[in-house]
Amino acid sequence: MIHSLFLINHSGDIFLEKHWKSVIGRSVCDYFFEAKEKAAEPEDVPPVLQTPHHYLISIYRDRLFFLSVIQTEAPPLFVIEFLHRVVETFQDYFGECSETVIKDNVVTVYELLEEMLDNGFPLATESNILKEMIRPPTILRTMVNTLTGTSNFEERLPSGQLSTIPWRRSGVKYTNNEAYFDVIEEIDAIVDKSGTTVCAEIQGVIEACVKLTGMPDLTLSFMNPRLLDDVSFHPCVRFKRWEAERVLSFIPPDGNFTLMSYHVNAQNLVAIPVYVKQNISFFESGSGGRLDLTAGPKQTMGKTVEGLVITVHMPKAVLSASLTATQGSYTYDPATKVLVWDIGRLNPQKLPNLRGSLSLQAGAPKPEDNPSINIALKIQQLAISGLKVNRLDMYGEKYKPFKGVKYVTKAGKFQRPACVAISHFST
Amino acid sequence: MLRVHTFLKMLNMSTNASYNDQGGAEAAVEVCTEGTSTTSGTGAGFGLFSTDFKKNDELKEMLESNKESLKLEAMKRIIGLIAKGKNASELFPAVVKNVANKNIELKKLVYVYLVRYAEEQQDLALLSISTFQRALKDPNQLIRASALRVLSSIRVPIIVPIMMLAIKESASDMSPYVRKTSAHAIQKLYSLDPEQREHLIEVIEKLLKDKSTLVAGSVVMAFEEVCPDRIDLIHKNYRKLCNLLVDVEEWGQVVIISMLTRYARTQFTSPWQEGVSFDENNEKAFYDSDSEEKRDETETKPYMMDPDHRLLLRNTKPLLQSRNTAVVMAVAQLYWHLAPTHEVSAVTKSLVRLLRSHREVQYVVLQNIATMSIQRKGMFEPYMKSFYVRSTDPTHIKTLKLEILTNLANEANISTILREFQTYVKSQDKAFAAATIQAIGRCATNISEVTDTCLNGLVLLLSNRDETVVAESVVVIKKLLQTQPTQHSEIIKHMAKLFDKITVAMARASILWLIGEYCERVPKIAPDVLRKMAKSFTSEEDIVKLQIVNLAAKLYLTNSKQTKLLTQYILNLGKYDQNYDIRDRTRFIRQLIVPNEKSGALSKYARRILLAPKPAPLLQSAFKDRDRYQLGTLSHSLNLKASGYQELSDWPAVAPDQSVRNVEVIEPQVNEWVPTVGKSKPAKSAKSEDKFYSDSEGEQVDRKGSKNSSSSSNDSSSSSSSSSSSSSSEGSGSEESDEETSDESPKSSSQSGEGSSESETDQKKEKNKKNTDSKAKSKAVNSESEENNNMVSSSSEDGSASSSSDSDSDTEQKKSSSRSKPKVHERPPKEVSLLDLDDVAPSAPTTPKASAYSPSLLSDLEGLSLSSVSSPMQVTVQPFGPVKSHELLHHMSGKGLSARYHFPRQPFLYQPSMVQLQITLTNASDQPLEGIHLGEHSPASLTLHRFSPVERLEPQASVTVSMGIDFNDSTQAANFQLCTKEAEFSVSIQPAVGELLLPASLTQADFEKEQGKLLGMNETSATITMAEGHCSSAVLNKQVRSMANLGEVITGHNNTHRFAGRTVSSGALVLVTVEKREAADATITVNTDKSVMASMLLRDLKQALASA
């Protein structure tokens, strides 16, 4: 399926290539560069491209392009999903996925890519299995390796691949047995200028950090599973139990993983925790404008709103902004035309306000559209949907683990890096 | 070149010996110095090359050194070079020598290098082959697998035969992981040498039969690549693939689902019925291909979905919950292409979920939704808001969302959508705004109610400051006006006024065309516009010039008085234009409209030619024709046929023979045989009856063969002989139903009488066996085999029906007791089995239970089958008693019906992955109970084999039925309902882990070998203090075997006891070792890859041995 992989940095240099079948020359990337030239933003490059002899499927993440070359029909999502899995594996191994890190760990990267695909078909993509075969680098190990010349390869051969539980590492041992579950919910909403919610939905994920000895079999049940409208699971979760009893029964992978993600069906009844009053106007003369933003709490169920960040995408003509904030700090990037106001904790008694003037490019016409506003926030100890974990039981092992559940509400589109979502489209 | 040759020689000399011997190292040093001297000799002009050379020489030296760390460092640098795309092929000889190195990482890196450069250095690459050939025999499966991986990745045509051999061997490897690798290797070999196709297909065929979830995905991938047209290979494996699907790794799922989609389209008839609501006019689209004749057929014959078709739909549905977007998409397309119309919407929610994933995923999913939404608006309409555009979306996502919103627009939601569109038009992304305007235009043409509103809105946009918006509006208005040739002169006038402000060529051209086309509606303005254009003609763009010429011509025809001069002026300008298109057009127009002596007949028709009513352009979706490609494919994404794309065939008008998917009893795949219950297919049942006859005919041979060989057949014969005693008990039984039987068929009772006398020896071994049990069991099995043959008969008639008729159960009985029947003309098998039993009895410490025929049949089948997985041992039939019976339903709660169950510890005949259960039903009330049968069960995914309903149970009578449950190797309780005619009772069976096993017979050597493979995570052990009285071997043996259905492995040791078994459902090996220490201490070790089972089994064993 996947023939070759090229890693391309932001400026268009190929800094790593890997071929799983016979070698394909770099010139194939020229077609991609052509498309990249045409696109205004790197995000705008079409993910699926066609060249005379090959097909190019690429993803753009962390300012890097992962470009795969395929020669015959293959489901594009298959390739895309795999490429994302590669990025996630790199992040898992090296903490981040950047050109420097990949270049520094080129041998590990190569070993990983070798293990992940055989003849272009995925072989081992589970992080637990990969880590058994190729140890992730740590500072200590890097030092030891350089001093002693030993390798970061596991001397022992893994057995996990061969068991019926391909996602779990074998021989796990901990002195402190812990299992933590974070219920993270995000509100994704579009609000129009008058403050009416155009659409709003709640997305949730349960991130787990399970450090348990042996081969535990966990069962997680909810107080109110009926809330969940649509779910998707980590492969370890047994579909049948969920269908029959609405409980999550699974043998967990070792370490961090996403247990499930879900969607809460609340129609438009989602309580949006904050409001933003905005008044952005430009003078007819076209030389400047005024901006006045106030944020306040709406429905927070008695919890404090933290990490409140308001992002405004300004019209292209706006050159600079001179504003004063009663709370927090603001930055304006004249290149991307993005105003970011980092408020932090929202104090209901004293509402934060940002006001001041905007200066426009000389001679530019008055911008006609009002900018859109995105809000990111975080509420601890609250799952906005009201989802509650009932209990966690463990079978198959004797010891008593320490268990914990944490609830967090965020505003944001599902894509993690940019926690933005409540878009105020103006009309 | 010289250097390479020396190396080659050197390497040849030291074939299998260590390459680092003295001579080699010396030679290497020599060569190196030679290399450096030459490079230093070259001038400074080759500086770049010389540094490269130097670097390579340094690396070479490092590789030659004796230090592992240096070698490793060198290899790492070389990998770095490869990763950067630099050429490191020169180092090949130095690297290839390290292929046999002990250091795993070094070896791995050498492999990476080899795979990369072997193609370029074929001769040298051959040197490494022997290493891999040796590694293929390694006891460690991972080493075997990786050797095969590299061997098959070396693209050197000479080694094709070696690869072929390696693939064939690995395809029957013990380890599923190695088999998986061999499936990958098939594709590699095929691309290297397509002529091997036929041989490879054989291997594929073999691997397709593999039951491991690890292998399934990879082999289907190989199938798709090598022989996608050999759909016949799938038939027999179809049901297995469907059933395994949920447990296959996610990438394999995608491949299997897409293959099964293609398969299903060739094998089943269309579930899309006429008359069943399909969306609007779209029905036609789907049925275009179908002939009229077929339509009639579907109308006359009500559609019945093939159970296999249903199986596929049912088993793929849970995968919609997968975290892998590719899997979800694969299921969605399967439903789209295969499911009945009303079921397709099941996938909507999951597809919408994918829209929250990464940008690239959204792109592909939106493309697919766009295609779907053209045909079925209804599917996505409730989720319309999910397609609202966000300001942060990239342009191509925005455009796709717009496309979908336009597709979804109808009379009801158009106002909402238009309001949304209004926002988009103001977007800063002008390309997107332009696309929105086009979308508005499409809505306006599709929904006549809003045409005017849209038109007005678009006219308003004409005063927009952004010229792209205005231009796009003009173009769309032009199209709209064309579709509505009513009096829109106001709009045209308005546009004429705007003309001066508009600079975009396309928009100017559009306005000119409009004025020309409808010049009669704006008689005053048109000539004026032409006048202006005459002035600016030379500075206009080409398309505008063409339209000016057109306008002039049209005006000349309608209003020649005012425009004659202007037209001539413009035609003169056009005559000398730089662009030949314009010169051509001018010449043509002049000839057409200006009458002169040369002009022919055409000018008469000038008016008709130029001012003919023109058909309005169709505003339709760009995704209109994409449905010719299978959804989710690359071809669909690109809207062109990608190489290797497999067409999805149309439904066949008449379904091909569905029995091809039945895995027949005599096929090697005994386990796959799923009885088709409740469907009477006369042809098929006749066939299977034939089969049974032929079985009985050839029986003698079978039994002869089995007598000498496997112990399992010994057991089977013993149990079959004991079954005779069971029938004897039947004959002498005191129960009503029995008497009935014997009354109805005296022959049967006489038989059993005979049987009883002959098997008296056995009788005493059955002390702990309950009569009722055995009797009922034989009966139950009779009834099941009956069902097998698709003959409906009540269980009370079973005995007679089976013994008097020529059904298969007759055949079974014959083995043990029916030799008196004249038509069975064979050497009495009875004696054989008796002899066998005598042979077996001393070695087996416990008595085989008197029971059903199933084991004997099964073992016969085993004798016939060529076990596809080459395992050194077989599951033996070595049942152990006494059996514990458990309460299933108390007669108080069961309104008189009481039920007890026990595990007879026999392989279940009809589905070897099921655990056999026997349920004794007793009527404790004073009224007869009628129609006892199984009701619904949960979890819904539970597969069980129902017992045939008990028509009537007299008061105080009891009957034993047998059923099978696939517990899937877990101790999760199976819940089902036991129903009588009047009431339903929910009951639940939770098996002890020991009951989920079947004993396996292993030699001590095999045991140790297998144990060696199941170390590490797969091993659990505990030390216990044994209870008094448990220390003696016999007692210990008994305790363990009563706890778990395991077979003992005969060992020489007195202190170590070994037991082996396989899990019923997946056939995973379970090995138990009890090692006695000093005093009463003992260590119990359980080796199995079913780790959950292992820990539970260990716990149970500890209890059994520790407690009294």
Side-chain angles (χ1 to χ4, degrees), chain B residues 473-487:
Chain B
S473 310
V474 170
V475 175
V476 173
I477 290 174
K478 178 200 133 196
K479 286 180 183 165
L480 278 180
L481 288 183
Q482 242 182 304
T483 56
Q484 296 222 313
T486 43
Q487 47 281 7

Side-chain angles (χ1 to χ4, degrees), chain B residues 666 687-700 702 811 814:
Chain B
I666 48 159
K687 210 162 90 193
S688 57
E689 265 180 38
D690 282 342
K691 216 130 259 152
F692 276 111
Y693 282 128
S694 57
D695 258 11
S696 68
E697 234 81 301
E699 162 119 280
Q700 204 177 347
D702 288 342
T811 320
K814 169 201 62 185

Side-chain angles (χ1 to χ4, degrees), chain B residues 707-728:
Chain B
K707 183 178 80 178
N708 311 330
S709 57
S710 70
S711 66
S712 70
S713 66
N714 284 347
D715 286 321
S716 70
S717 54
S718 70
S719 54
S720 63
S721 77
S722 60
S723 72
S724 75
S725 64
S726 81
S727 53
S728 84

Side-chain angles (χ1 to χ4, degrees), chain B residues 29 51 59 121 340 424 533 660 714 717 785 803 808 952 988 1050 1096:
Chain B
V29 171
T51 47
L59 287 172
Q121 309 258 350
Y424 301 164
M533 290 333 296
V660 289
N714 284 347
S717 54
S785 48
S803 52
D808 57 319
R952 187 180 167 87
S988 152
I1050 313 295
M1096 293 172 75

